[in-house]
């Protein structure tokens, strides 16, 4: 696979969301095969997808009515494999599981999309696209804000930790206070990822406050 993934979350297309009791967003994952990838790699994705749908239809081993109907169709220079729920004749709102129509689209150029929604894949493949250079991800977190969150939720964190410690509240309190103190000493956390040719580079910077000294103002290093 080429480096980099495309992850998309969006509302379900209207034709899929109509009548749902609870509407969940659709998710899709985009991959790109390398030019020198084995010829049978695309087929391996298809085989794995159809096997997963078959397993779901057997409900993990039970022989109930198959909930999914697996269909195959040509779509935008590729093949779409979509597992759609059986149509319900009930008048009431469609159940939660009707949000899902697991789908796999395999393009002739080696592009692959895996999605929880067939409609979302159809929208993605139909959308006009142009090559874009990957710019990476960058974000930073201030230690003061993180420490404030820990302090405001300290009792809940101690209770959760105590369950992990077998009910030892003293040990849990000591651990949470140690973590809070360490985070409070953090001035800033910075994360950055970028693409360099066919490689991804990741950089993580941690700036800590200097221990306060008499007559010296706190700084960062």
């Amino acid at each position: 696979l080429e480096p980099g993934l495309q992850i998309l979350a969006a509302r379900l297309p209207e034709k899929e969301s109509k009548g749902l009791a609870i509407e969940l967003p659709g998710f899709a994952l985009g991959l790109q095969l390398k030019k020198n990838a084995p010829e049978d790699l695309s087929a391996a994705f298809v085989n794995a997808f159809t096997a997963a749908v078959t397993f779901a239809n057997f409900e993990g081993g039970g022989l109930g009515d198959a909930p999914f109907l697996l269909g195959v169709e040509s779509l935008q220079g590729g093949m779409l494999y979509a597992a759609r729920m059986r149509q319900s004749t009930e008048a009431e709102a469609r159940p939660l599981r009707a949000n899902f129509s697991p789908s796999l689209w395999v393009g002739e150029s080696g592009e692959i999309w895996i999605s929880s929604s067939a409609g979302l894949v159809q929208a993605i493949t139909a959308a006009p696209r142009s090559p874009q250079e990957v710019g990476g991800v960058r974000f930073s977190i201030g230690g003061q804000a993180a420490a404030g969150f820990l302090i405001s939720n300290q009792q809940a964190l101690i209770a959760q930790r105590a369950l992990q410690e077998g009910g030892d509240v003293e040990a849990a309190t000591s651990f949470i206070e140690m973590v809070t103190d360490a985070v409070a000493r953090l001035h800033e956390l910075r994360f950055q990822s970028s693409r360099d040719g066919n490689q991804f580079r990741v950089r993580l910077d941690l700036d800590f406050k200097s221990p306060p000294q008499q007559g010296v103002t706190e700084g960062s290093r």
Side-chain angles (χ1 to χ4, degrees):
L1 296 176
E2 292 285 359
L5 303 173
Q6 299 181 70
I7 300 175
L8 178 69
R11 292 193 63 177
L12 293 177
E14 185 177 354
K15 63 180 181 180
E16 291 193 353
S17 63
K18 186 177 180 180
L20 283 172
I22 300 175
E23 182 182 348
L24 301 177
F27 293 89
L29 172 67
L31 309 169
Q32 178 66 49
L33 301 183
K34 288 182 178 290
K35 293 181 179 180
N36 60 348
E39 294 183 0
D40 60 351
L41 187 54
S42 295
F45 275 91
V46 174
N47 292 338
F49 178 78
T50 54
V53 173
T54 301
F55 181 81
N57 277 338
F58 278 98
E59 299 178 341
L63 296 177
D65 292 335
F68 291 114
L69 293 175
L70 180 61
V72 183
E73 61 184 273
S74 177
L75 177 69
Q76 302 292 337
M79 297 300 295
L80 173 65
Y81 302 82
R84 294 181 170 89
M85 296 290 298
R86 291 181 178 275
Q87 295 294 324
S88 175
T89 58
E90 298 175 358
E92 61 265 22
R94 295 162 63 202
L96 181 65
R97 64 178 182 275
N99 279 272
F100 304 105
S101 52
S103 304
L104 171 71
W105 180 81
V106 180
E108 295 176 351
S109 62
E111 186 179 6
I112 294 176
W113 281 94
I114 305 169
S115 177
S116 64
S117 161
L120 184 55
V121 172
Q122 292 171 333
I124 291 172
T125 55
R129 285 170 286 174
S130 59
Q132 298 289 332
E133 186 65 27
V134 178
V137 176
R138 176 183 300 178
F139 67 84
S140 63
I141 300 175
Q144 185 175 1
F149 170 82
L150 291 175
I151 292 172
S152 62
N153 293 277
Q154 194 172 59
Q155 294 304 315
L157 293 171
I158 290 174
Q160 184 176 4
R161 180 68 184 182
L163 292 176
Q164 300 174 3
E165 296 284 353
D168 191 337
V169 177
E170 184 177 350
T173 301
S174 176
F175 176 81
I176 297 300
E177 289 179 348
M178 178 186 67
V179 172
T180 303
D181 181 64
V183 172
R185 295 179 183 276
L186 176 66
H187 176 67
E188 186 179 20
L189 178 150
R190 294 187 299 275
F191 173 87
Q192 180 178 353
S193 67
S194 60
R195 182 171 179 174
D196 182 7
N198 289 328
Q199 295 182 334
F200 269 100
R201 299 187 181 277
V202 176
R203 176 173 176 172
L204 179 65
D205 293 322
L206 298 173
D207 289 346
F208 288 92
K209 298 178 181 178
S210 301
Q213 301 177 11
Q214 187 173 2
V216 178
T217 304
E218 283 193 2
S220 62
R221 62 183 180 184

